[in-house]
Amino acid sequence: QVQLVESGGGVVQPGRSLRLSCAASGFIFSYYHMHWVRQAPGKGLEWVAFISYDGRNEYYADAVKGRFTISRDHSQNTISLQMNNLRPEDTAVYYCTRDEGIEDDERFYFEYWGQGTLVTVSS
Amino acid sequence: QSALTQPASVSGSPGQSITISCTVTRSDLGIYNYISWYQHHPGKAPKLMIYDVYNRPSGISSRFSGSKSGNTASLTISGLQAEDEADYYCSSSTNTKTLLFGGGTKLTVL
């Protein structure tokens, strides 16, 4: 079965960096686009970033553009989110999700989600 | 204000039907036909209930249905059950390769 397992969350000071990872299994990882979605405490869902099946295309929300970088490693079946210059408003549970489109088809909806990893940005 | 506007809360009694609306407030984003709906119980991963306005993923109850009229998409839940109490979010991709979520609607089953 499809599994997505996030790791790397924790408490970090403003301005510092953190790297999240998501281990994928149960499907042909190299076929699928992947995303990160977050939810701040008491707030709604917010899309963060997309990476295409082959890693050639990346898209970002305006709120993180220039600070966050999404990447993928096909040898490890993982995606990562490098978060630099963190701000208190980046405090959230970060979910790894699988796009339901494959290869050249981008669907931007998600049947499979990880359980999330909490990032807290605080001094 | 989000480009996808949802009511903050709706409520209904068991067995009743409720509808949650999602109004597209920005026509420039090209988000007419790609509305999805998610159910989110606190502390759990969100669950896809409807995609591409009308379609249900495998395993989702037929009590959940999606529709669209003009610039408003809707999620209808019929035969309301206690376990339907959750937050519901609409979402859509845009013509600039981003994804927007609505602000979320808290469904209370009375």
Side-chain angles (χ1 to χ4, degrees):
Chain A
Q1 73 279 22
V2 173
Q3 279 199 307
L4 300 170
V5 180
E6 303 94 339
S7 61
V11 179
V12 61
Q13 292 179 328
R16 304 297 291 263
S17 299
L18 200 63
R19 187 178 183 88
L20 306 182
S21 293
C22 170
S25 61
F27 63 100
I28 302 175
F29 179 71
S30 61
Y31 284 6
Y32 286 87
H33 316 299
M34 301 292 292
H35 301 251
W36 288 96
V37 174
R38 68 184 181 183
Q39 184 178 35
K43 303 291 187 181
L45 299 174
E46 180 185 22
W47 174 79
V48 174
F50 161 101
I51 187 164
S52 61
Y53 73 103
D54 57 1
R56 291 186 180 184
N57 296 312
E58 303 166 23
Y59 313 131
Y60 297 93
D62 287 344
V64 306
K65 199 174 295 183
R67 299 188 298 122
F68 289 13
T69 302
I70 189 171
S71 60
R72 65 191 297 157
D73 182 343
H74 287 183
S75 68
Q76 300 287 324
N77 281 9
T78 59
I79 67 166
S80 296
L81 186 68
Q82 178 65 40
M83 304 185 294
N84 297 332
N85 190 21
L86 281 160
R87 305 167 179 169
E89 55 264 37
D90 296 318
T91 295
V93 174
Y94 285 73
Y95 295 100
C96 167
T97 69
R98 191 191 82 172
D99 196 285
E100 288 310 299
I102 61 172
E103 297 185 330
D104 293 330
D105 182 17
E106 299 167 354
R107 296 293 184 95
F108 279 80
Y109 56 82
F110 322 118
E111 190 165 356
Y112 295 99
W113 298 64
Q115 285 302 304
T117 187
L118 176 62
V119 173
T120 302
V121 184
S122 174
S123 54
Chain B
Q1 183 181 359
S2 173
L4 299 175
T5 300
Q6 300 180 231
S9 63
V10 298
S11 63
S13 299
Q16 288 186 330
S17 294
I18 63 95
T19 296
I20 299 172
S21 62
C22 174
T23 300
V24 176
T25 59
R26 287 186 56 185
S27 59
D28 59 317
L29 297 179
I31 49 178
Y32 299 113
N33 295 314
Y34 304 107
I35 297 289
S36 298
W37 290 93
Y38 296 89
Q39 177 190 68
H40 192 198
H41 289 104
K44 301 185 76 174
K47 185 177 183 180
L48 180 67
M49 308 304 286
I50 296 286
Y51 65 93
D52 291 348
V53 180
Y54 309 102
N55 300 303
R56 272 189 314 276
S58 174
I60 299 301
S61 170
S62 59
R63 297 188 300 107
F64 293 84
S65 62
S67 62
K68 186 182 72 166
S69 178
N71 66 337
T72 298
S74 297
L75 173 71
T76 298
I77 309 173
S78 59
L80 207 58
Q81 299 178 1
E83 64 255 35
D84 298 333
E85 184 163 295
D87 296 320
Y88 290 84
Y89 295 89
C90 62
S91 73
S92 181
S93 59
T94 75
N95 56 11
T96 56
K97 300 289 191 179
T98 61
L99 179 71
L100 297 176
F101 283 98
T105 298
K106 182 177 181 61
L107 169 62
T108 301
V109 180
L110 302 170

